[in-house]
Amino acid sequence: MSSTVALTIAIIVLVLVIAGLATMALGRHRRTKALRRRFGPEYDRAVAEQPSRRAAERDLQERERRHAALELKELAPWERQQYAEQWARTQAHFVEEPEAATREADALVTKVMAERGYPVQDFDTRVQDLSVEHAETLDHYRDAHEINKVNERGQASTEQLRQALMHYRVLFAELLGESPGGRPATGHG
């Protein structure tokens, strides 16, 4: 084999390797961009919590796979109305018993999640499953959950409990398919 043929083969192999690497890099970039768009602030949280960006992206992709396997359903109008009425009673109950009302709000959000088809066995699983469609409201849910834990120890102030109720309301409204003001939401559910 002549040195010209060998050099030509080496150049072709090198070009193919570079093209393959560029294709892989472009694929990773597209995957990252899609995950950022889908998960919003949850993407950054996952990257901060995982040992590497690649591990975080694998985690988020696993969440998508788990979520795709769920049999989620929209609530019927009469169910949404029934839950909205329960929320109104919980909110009214806050005036007299803020601690109990906060626990009721947590239970009601969990009940609506279960009714929609989300597994509700533990908080971390709920957050992961919600992150796929409700990433923008997860910080509200986390904050409410943390305040409710303080409430369970009997150490939450009335202001903290009020904030927890407001945080629960954001996710509750989204799960019902409405804006937090009680109007039907546009977009996803």
Side-chain angles (χ1 to χ4, degrees):
M1 181 179 333
S2 75
S3 60
T4 306
V5 171
L7 181 61
T8 303
I9 291 173
I11 291 173
I12 291 171
V13 168
L14 181 61
V15 167
L16 290 174
V17 167
I18 291 172
L21 292 173
T23 300
M24 285 175 32
L26 182 59
R28 277 195 304 270
H29 176 74
R30 285 182 179 151
R31 180 184 66 223
T32 295
K33 188 175 178 181
L35 288 170
R36 277 185 188 272
R37 186 174 38 254
R38 175 131 200 197
F39 286 94
E42 192 65 16
Y43 178 90
D44 295 327
R45 178 183 284 273
V47 168
E49 291 175 351
Q50 295 288 334
S52 69
R53 179 176 306 277
R54 178 173 270 156
E57 290 182 355
R58 275 194 308 269
D59 174 58
L60 294 172
Q61 289 173 317
E62 179 57 31
R63 292 183 197 189
E64 287 178 320
R65 279 189 286 282
R66 277 179 37 97
H67 186 271
L70 298 176
E71 293 184 23
L72 299 178
K73 70 172 191 125
E74 295 295 323
L75 297 174
W78 67 268
E79 290 173 308
R80 285 195 304 274
Q81 180 63 36
Q82 185 180 39
Y83 284 125
E85 290 168 4
Q86 287 179 24
W87 183 266
R89 286 192 297 276
T90 297
Q91 214 166 314
H93 189 211
F94 184 85
V95 174
E96 302 220 0
E97 294 187 65
E99 297 89 357
T102 303
R103 286 190 296 275
E104 290 169 19
D106 179 65
L108 187 54
V109 166
T110 302
K111 185 177 178 182
V112 170
M113 287 177 61
E115 184 73 28
R116 294 269 326 265
Y118 288 99
V120 293
Q121 62 267 25
D122 66 80
F123 180 75
D124 291 333
T125 301
R126 289 192 300 257
V127 167
Q128 288 181 359
D129 290 339
L130 286 169
S131 71
V132 178
E133 287 188 12
H134 304 282
E136 297 294 328
T137 58
L138 276 185
D139 283 339
H140 287 285
Y141 189 43
R142 284 186 180 103
D143 291 346
H145 179 74
E146 288 304 313
I147 294 169
N148 198 38
K149 286 183 355 187
V150 173
N151 182 36
E152 294 298 327
R153 294 190 305 266
Q155 299 172 336
S157 70
T158 302
E159 176 57 22
Q160 287 174 309
L161 297 173
R162 184 188 70 76
Q163 289 174 3
L165 208 64
M166 291 170 45
H167 288 308
Y168 279 127
R169 176 68 178 130
V170 173
L171 179 60
F172 179 80
E174 202 167 283
L175 289 169
L176 257 55
E178 61 184 38
S179 68
R183 295 175 305 280
T186 57
H188 68 285

